[in-house]
């Protein structure tokens, strides 16, 4: 199974109630390497490891065939701070 | 060029991978990993060895450790397919590299990078009695300014 940026973005947005998700395919199209920025208040109060675990759980099936997945997990507050 | 590479290299890579998996899909026992991660304050499971990492993400972790001058144990998962699967099962984490501090799983490349950037890594190392070289350098430059 080859996953696309759009598929991953939709799934992450839905499952994590994310207000903003950026997914980039870094694999030249073979679908094995992605990076993502995920903004969700589900991350509130969670340390980094717990946030990443949450994302990994959502993509449990997908990560079996995605070889490399880089993620940045931000709360809405952190995201706004970063933008300004 | 990319396409050519993919066609010529990937098939053989895939086959090897399948072969490895069919021979060994059990992983190493939990007890063995318990011993490995308690053998040093910082333990890294990576692809390749610190002097020759075989993956960009593993290399990033090695560079971070080098900057902080952290002494650590490293284990090459590419030389042991059982360990490669075993460590993923152990920490319930899907990717390599993996970093353990004081026997506790801390994270992979992303987390190490962010902890490095935020300064959290210096604090975590301090907790286990390792003084980061970056901290030493910062103190020295402060001293010189006085």
């Amino acid at each position: 199974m080859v996953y696309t940026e759009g598929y991953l973005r939709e799934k992450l947005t839905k499952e994590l109630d994310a207000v903003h998700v950026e997914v980039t395919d870094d694999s030249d199209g073979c679908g094995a390497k992605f990076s993502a920025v995920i903004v969700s208040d589900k991350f509130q109060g969670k340390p980094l490891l717990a946030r990443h675990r949450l994302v990994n759980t959502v993509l449990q099936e997908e990560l079996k065939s995605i070889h490399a997945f880089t993620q940045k997990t931000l709360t809405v507050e952190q995201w706004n701070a970063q933008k300004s | 060029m990319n396409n050519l590479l993919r066609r010529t290299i990937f098939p053989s890579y895939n086959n090897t991978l399948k072969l490895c998996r069919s021979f060994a899909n059990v992983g190493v026992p939990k007890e063995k990993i318990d011993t490995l991660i308690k053998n040093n304050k910082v333990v890294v499971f990576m692809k390749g060895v610190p002097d020759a990492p075989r993956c960009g993400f593993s290399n990033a972790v090695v560079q971070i450790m080098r900057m902080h001058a952290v002494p650590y144990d490293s284990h090459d998962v590419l030389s042991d397919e059982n360990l490669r699967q075993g460590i993923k099962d152990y920490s319930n984490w899907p990717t390599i590299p993996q970093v353990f501090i004081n026997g506790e799983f801390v994270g992979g490349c992303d987390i190490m990078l962010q902890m490095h950037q935020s300064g959290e890594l210096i604090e975590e190392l301090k907790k286990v009695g390792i003084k980061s070289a970056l901290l030493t350098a910062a103190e020295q430059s402060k001293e010189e300014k006085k």
Side-chain angles (χ1 to χ4, degrees):
Chain A
M1 177 76 196
V2 175
Y3 300 103
T4 60
E5 294 174 355
Y7 168 88
L8 293 172
R9 187 169 49 235
E10 236 170 76
K11 180 153 187 180
L12 288 166
T13 307
K14 198 175 133 212
E15 305 263 335
L16 293 169
D17 287 329
V19 298
H20 179 80
V21 176
E22 284 167 46
V23 178
T24 315
D25 185 342
D26 305 320
S27 74
D28 288 334
C30 83
K33 196 175 174 191
F34 288 94
S35 54
V37 178
I38 306 156
V39 182
S40 164
D41 273 338
K42 281 206 173 170
F43 298 139
Q44 193 75 49
K46 287 193 176 70
L48 208 49
L49 182 60
R51 294 177 185 195
H52 284 218
R53 278 201 192 281
L54 189 63
V55 175
N56 289 345
T57 310
V58 169
L59 297 182
Q60 199 172 21
E61 258 328 287
E62 290 79 0
L63 287 179
K64 283 177 190 164
S65 65
I66 297 173
H67 178 77
F69 188 78
T70 302
Q71 48 176 309
K72 265 206 176 125
T73 47
L74 305 169
T75 60
V76 176
E77 199 182 325
Q78 286 174 323
W79 189 48
N80 286 333
Q82 210 179 60
K83 275 193 297 188
S84 57
Chain B
M1 183 60 189
N2 252 341
N3 272 335
L4 186 71
L5 267 181
R6 202 174 294 153
R7 236 177 286 144
T8 48
I9 295 178
F10 273 64
S12 63
Y13 172 71
N14 278 340
N15 283 341
T16 323
L17 210 68
K18 267 180 212 150
L19 209 65
C20 289
R21 280 199 182 139
S22 63
F23 278 126
N25 50 11
V26 278
V28 290
K30 190 183 168 296
E31 294 72 30
K32 193 189 161 190
I33 293 177
D34 276 335
T35 318
L36 291 181
I37 61 173
K38 282 180 189 132
N39 193 51
N40 205 334
K41 284 175 183 170
V42 180
V43 179
V44 178
F45 294 84
M46 60 179 285
K47 291 182 178 174
V49 293
D51 283 336
R54 289 171 65 186
C55 155
F57 299 100
S58 289
N59 182 44
V61 167
V62 167
Q63 297 309 326
I64 292 172
M65 295 301 175
R66 192 166 293 161
M67 270 188 268
H68 291 264
V70 177
Y72 61 98
D73 280 8
S74 83
H75 300 281
D76 180 7
V77 301
L78 291 181
S79 65
D80 186 346
E81 185 63 25
N82 280 332
L83 183 62
R84 184 178 184 168
Q85 190 53 48
I87 195 66
K88 290 180 185 178
D89 294 341
Y90 183 91
S91 47
N92 186 27
W93 191 259
T95 49
I96 308 290
Q98 297 192 8
V99 178
F100 289 77
I101 297 180
N102 232 11
E104 209 172 298
F105 177 63
V106 179
C109 176
D110 288 343
I111 291 181
M112 290 309 291
L113 206 57
Q114 285 169 54
M115 282 173 71
H116 164 65
Q117 287 162 348
S118 69
E120 211 181 313
L121 184 58
I122 291 179
E123 298 307 312
E124 285 303 310
L125 291 170
K126 208 187 277 173
K127 278 185 207 164
V128 298
I130 298 173
K131 189 170 181 190
S132 163
L134 293 183
L135 186 62
T136 313
E139 283 173 357
Q140 273 169 358
S141 72
K142 221 185 246 171
E143 207 53 39
E144 280 160 20
K145 271 181 200 157
K146 269 180 194 169

